[in-house]
Amino acid sequence: MGSIKLKSNVSNLTGEIKIPGDKSISHRSVMFGSIAHGETVVTNFLPGDDCLSTISCFRKMGVKIEEKDGTVKIFGNGIEGLSEPAELLDVGNSGTTIRLLMGILAGRPFFSTLAGDESIAKRPMTRVSEPLSKMGAKIDGRKNGAFTPISIRGGNLNPIRYQLPVASAQVKSAILLAGLQAEGETTVIEPASTRDHTERMIRQFGGQIHRNGQEITVVGGQKLIGANVHVPGDISSAAFFLVAGAIVPESEIVLKNVGLNPTRTGIIEVSKNMGANLEIIQKENSSIEPSGDLIIKTSSLKGTVIEGDLIPKLIDEIPIIALMATQAEGVTIIKDAEELKVKETNRIDTVVNELKKLGAVIEATEDGMIIHGKTRLKGGIVSSHGDHRIGMMLAIAALLCNEEVILEKPESISVSYPNFFTHLNSLL
């Protein structure tokens, strides 16, 4: 675990960045390719540590996967073609890998064990193990299946009608993946709409799935067929440069090929509400996921309130939104974001504590934070705490600081954005 000196006191940012592939879609493309029949080709795949953990897990279950220069070929033999892994399935730092994989493994008639790093060991799994157990999977782990390592003996699933206690795309996806293997119809009811990449991908691989209001229903026993998947740029990764372009003086940044799935564009809504000078050029394409280019220029920002149904659409972007709020006139209030407490870190406390070190006027609340702007940031020693999104947020914050900023644990950034510092330096 090292530390690096970040770029600080930057006068402007200009240039164009091709945003790396979407992490959520990259994960799911490997999973669906592995449980489908025939060849799947994924282009613009994100070769970050998290997505490589997903590939590794499926290889251990006998799936042939080739990965080279952002293109992945998966040779699927259907979900029944998965074989019992002889060793532990190591998910690394990836919450998406473990939770969605639990849904797939719940229906497989073999034994498997899942574990990851220290961060994963602290993240709650009951929200997934509980509904999957109700469907008939035998799941155990530390504290009655609440924490990793998690063991699963799957097979013979019953359908379920399940009301999600929290708006979580990972839990929803796990149940839908299990539902594809159950006898009959499985329905998930969401309290608020969450990212719908799983539903889109079921259709892309030839499956049927139906939505009625907040209810999503899938029928078991469907045969999925291999597909070609082009992964758009990750809006969660684009968010860091979107905010950088808005808050660094005399800046203009073009972000190419950004995914614009309406369940993920909360960062764009908030940026516009705060007065960001942002232009969106929507692409006309045949892909199942919408995308486009974003042009962001230095902006005069004002405080806002972020709450309710907007939260699931920007849950991963809250760290960088908090930084943006430090450079807006007035007060920004973020609430209804309790989910941040069970991410790679407790992101409410971590964001507040790290930004305070740089001079931000920010306080934690039970379900979010209150940020006072506009604040001049100063230097200091900060840490990612092993959380990729905190690390990138602090690197963008440093651009505004008039003194030296040292970032501890910068290596966590490679989880979702291996080329982050290369792209940042290209704008200087």
Side-chain angles (χ1 to χ4, degrees):
M1 296 288 180
S3 63
I4 58 168
K5 181 181 173 183
L6 296 171
K7 300 281 185 191
S8 58
N9 208 17
V10 169
S11 56
N12 69 310
L13 297 170
T14 53
E16 184 176 291
I17 291 175
K18 185 176 182 288
I19 295 297
D22 187 280
K23 187 154 76 88
S24 296
I25 299 170
S26 293
H27 277 301
R28 286 163 173 80
S29 64
V30 171
M31 293 182 184
F32 277 94
S34 297
I35 64 174
H37 292 263
E39 186 176 310
T40 291
V41 179
V42 185
T43 50
N44 200 38
F45 177 83
L46 173 71
D49 297 348
D50 273 12
C51 298
L52 296 177
S53 292
T54 294
I55 287 180
S56 168
C57 288
F58 280 95
R59 281 177 173 157
K60 287 176 181 174
M61 290 186 283
V63 181
K64 182 185 174 189
I65 303 175
E66 298 171 355
E67 190 255 324
K68 187 181 179 186
D69 300 331
T71 296
V72 177
K73 284 187 182 175
I74 305 142
F75 302 89
N77 293 308
I79 200 160
E80 63 280 4
L82 297 179
S83 57
E84 183 171 273
E87 56 188 302
L88 178 88
L89 297 175
D90 183 357
V91 305
N93 185 246
S94 178
T96 302
T97 305
I98 190 165
R99 291 190 175 127
L100 272 62
L101 204 45
M102 284 171 71
I104 291 172
L105 294 170
R108 295 298 84 219
F110 54 66
F111 177 82
S112 53
T113 305
L114 296 143
D117 66 7
E118 286 175 30
S119 163
I120 286 291
K122 295 172 189 164
R123 297 178 73 173
M125 297 298 151
T126 313
R127 53 179 58 182
V128 179
S129 60
E130 205 169 72
L132 296 180
S133 297
K134 283 182 179 172
M135 295 176 80
K138 294 179 176 62
I139 300 176
D140 204 357
R142 281 190 305 121
K143 299 198 175 171
N144 295 321
F147 297 101
T148 59
I150 295 276
S151 67
I152 301 176
R153 186 171 289 284
N156 295 327
L157 296 182
N158 304 307
I160 192 174
R161 181 177 172 85
Y162 190 73
Q163 171 83 49
L164 290 179
V166 290
S168 167
Q170 291 179 356
V171 181
K172 170 181 71 174
S173 298
I175 298 167
L176 292 175
L177 285 163
L180 285 170
Q181 304 170 75
E183 293 279 336
E185 289 189 352
T186 292
T187 299
V188 181
I189 304 144
E190 293 190 288
S193 296
T194 62
R195 54 186 68 176
D196 65 354
H197 303 304
T198 297
E199 297 95 304
R200 287 171 182 258
M201 208 162 274
I202 286 172
R203 293 187 190 102
Q204 191 167 1
F205 281 77
Q208 298 281 319
I209 187 163
H210 304 286
R211 182 174 196 114
N212 181 14
Q214 295 302 98
E215 295 189 6
I216 303 137
T217 301
V218 70
V219 180
Q222 299 187 53
K223 180 179 177 181
L224 301 177
I225 306 297
N228 293 330
V229 181
H230 179 73
V231 182
D234 196 324
I235 194 165
S236 296
S237 296
F240 296 97
F241 292 110
L242 181 68
V243 170
I247 65 178
V248 174
E250 296 179 43
S251 296
E252 181 172 347
I253 304 173
V254 180
L255 304 171
K256 304 291 285 184
N257 180 42
V258 179
L260 296 175
N261 181 310
T263 63
R264 293 279 300 281
T265 49
I267 179 69
I268 289 176
E269 288 179 52
V270 167
S271 299
K272 287 186 166 178
N273 289 345
M274 294 178 78
N277 187 349
L278 173 64
E279 184 185 351
I280 301 165
I281 302 164
Q282 192 98 22
K283 279 206 172 109
E284 292 296 325
N285 58 28
S286 56
S287 171
I288 203 152
E289 293 277 355
S291 65
D293 298 341
L294 307 180
I295 303 168
I296 182 70
K297 299 177 185 176
T298 306
S299 311
S300 293
L301 301 170
K302 60 183 187 299
T304 189
V305 177
I306 303 163
E307 62 185 339
D309 290 354
L310 194 52
I311 294 294
K313 295 170 74 173
L314 47 67
I315 195 74
D316 285 334
E317 289 74 71
I318 284 177
I320 194 66
I321 288 170
L323 171 63
M324 180 160 64
T326 70
Q327 303 307 303
E329 295 290 344
V331 179
T332 295
I333 299 169
I334 300 170
K335 48 189 178 182
D336 303 323
E338 301 95 332
E339 193 66 8
L340 287 174
K341 294 180 178 178
V342 293
K343 290 290 186 176
E344 284 81 340
T345 56
N346 177 334
R347 281 192 183 149
I348 293 177
D349 289 348
T350 309
V351 168
V352 168
N353 294 337
E354 295 305 309
L355 281 176
K356 270 185 176 174
K357 291 177 186 175
L358 299 178
V361 184
I362 179 171
E363 62 197 83
T365 62
E366 198 53 41
D367 64 347
M369 53 193 90
I370 299 169
I371 307 117
H372 299 265
K374 182 176 183 179
T375 315
R376 181 80 192 227
L377 300 182
K378 58 185 177 64
I381 299 173
V382 291
S383 174
S384 75
H385 294 270
D387 186 328
H388 54 126
R389 300 201 195 279
I390 303 282
M392 287 184 278
M393 180 272 287
L394 292 167
I396 301 302
L399 302 173
L400 298 173
C401 296
N402 49 12
E403 297 151 355
E404 184 176 274
V405 180
I406 303 292
L407 175 65
E408 295 175 339
K409 301 186 180 178
E411 62 280 352
S412 65
I413 290 170
S414 68
V415 159
S416 64
Y417 204 151
N419 295 329
F420 175 76
F421 286 110
T422 304
H423 285 175
L424 179 57
N425 289 336
S426 74
L427 300 174
L428 298 171

